[in-house]
Amino acid sequence: GRKNIPRNAPVIFAPNHQNALMDALIVLFSAPGDVVFLARADIFKKRVLAYLMNSLKILPVFRQRDGAAELGKNEDIFDISVDILKNKPYLCVMPEGNHGDQRKLRTIVKGIFRIAFKAQEEHGTEPFVKIVPVGLDFGDYVKQNTSLFINYGKPIEVSEYWEQYQENSARGINALKSRLGDELSPLMIDIQDEKHYDAIYIIKGIYNETMRTTLGIEGNRLSDSFEADKVFISIIETLMLTGTEEQKKTIDEMARLAERYQRGLDKLKIRDWVVVEKGYSFMRTLWRLFWLLLTFPLFLYGFLNSAIPYFVPVRLVRGIKDRQFHASVKAGLGILVLF
């Protein structure tokens, strides 16, 4: 969806927020221009992190929990944000305010809309500021070398809500907030069923290939897998709301079996494909062993050159309780150690 990103226009990117600093880095490296970010101010308390944030063009934004005195500083940050938009670099604000560890859209806060309407003020009902929703989906929040799907949605014109905002600012903000939620949810994995969250997440991965076949999706790209996952989640959540009692009992039983199956995989330390493919045949095992031996010198060269920047950060992050910060810290430390 990169074609949806306006060029030479004031744009606020609004991605779902699930993996700390990695979310900002993703937008930074996938957007077609310069990006300035807003992030929660408590991250800036540590000098090293503050230096890293500033070097990546990330500004602090203060919340209620930071105290009334600190909250007043937001006006200056919002003024800077408006100047940024007027000069047409991209601005990125995480609309959920903080990150979460589940693949679902959480409550959207008002800061992004205050900035948007403040920038729109000089232009009124004429098109100017646009909000572009961005869906991010990680194959795994912590593990390296897994998949990442970035989904840019169509821009939302803030000017369409200007008159409503002028009549009643709270109503205008809530209308734009509702629109962003409606546009962002289809771009991301959004599992709202808390009771069956774990089961739905497990089964969608197991069932994805079958779901693609059922839907007639012939490709094997991340976008194809994403489409199948969205349909599957929609079916399950709709049945839980409007289905018969028998259908709901079936889903409860499916959830129980899925969680039991996942516990078995975790206990044996294997992945689902091992069960699906029933392991390797003897000849395929020999073939793989041959290629492993043939490419071992290449592996050894890569291992010796990469072991320190790979393993040192992995060990250092073990003491960080919030797992959503693990990938961010590993990425940052890996770069520092490498250089």
Side-chain angles (χ1 to χ4, degrees), residues 57-74:
K57 299 183 181 179
I58 301 178
L59 297 171
V61 63
F62 300 88
R63 300 172 295 173
Q64 289 284 354
R65 69 184 67 177
D66 297 317
E70 296 296 301
L71 203 59
K73 296 178 182 178
N74 276 342

Side-chain angles (χ1 to χ4, degrees), residues 153-164:
K154 293 182 179 179
I156 301 168
E157 284 284 358
V158 177
S159 61
E160 294 176 10
Y161 298 85
W162 181 252
E163 288 185 353
Q164 197 171 1

Side-chain angles (χ1 to χ4, degrees), residues 191-202:
I191 305 172
Q192 291 294 328
D193 186 342
E194 292 187 13
K195 179 182 177 182
H196 300 98
Y197 175 87
D198 290 335
I200 291 173
Y201 183 72
I202 293 166

Side-chain angles (χ1 to χ4, degrees), residues 275-295:
V275 180
V276 173
E277 294 195 13
K278 299 179 181 178
Y280 287 139
S281 66
F282 178 71
M283 290 304 298
R284 191 175 179 188
T285 301
L286 285 180
W287 179 251
R288 286 175 63 85
L289 181 60
F290 168 75
W291 274 108
L292 284 172
L293 291 173
L294 187 67
T295 58

Side-chain angles (χ1 to χ4, degrees), residues 19-31 37 52 56 58 94 136 148 150 327-328 331-332 335:
N19 209 9
L21 182 60
M22 297 307 295
D23 296 335
L25 291 175
I26 289 162
V27 176
L28 178 66
F29 288 112
S30 63
F37 301 86
L52 178 63
L56 293 172
I58 301 178
M94 309 297 174
L136 306 178
L148 168 64
I150 309 165
S328 303
I335 293 170

Side-chain angles (χ1 to χ4, degrees), residues 55 265 300-301:
S55 67
L265 294 179
L300 187 61
Y301 174 82

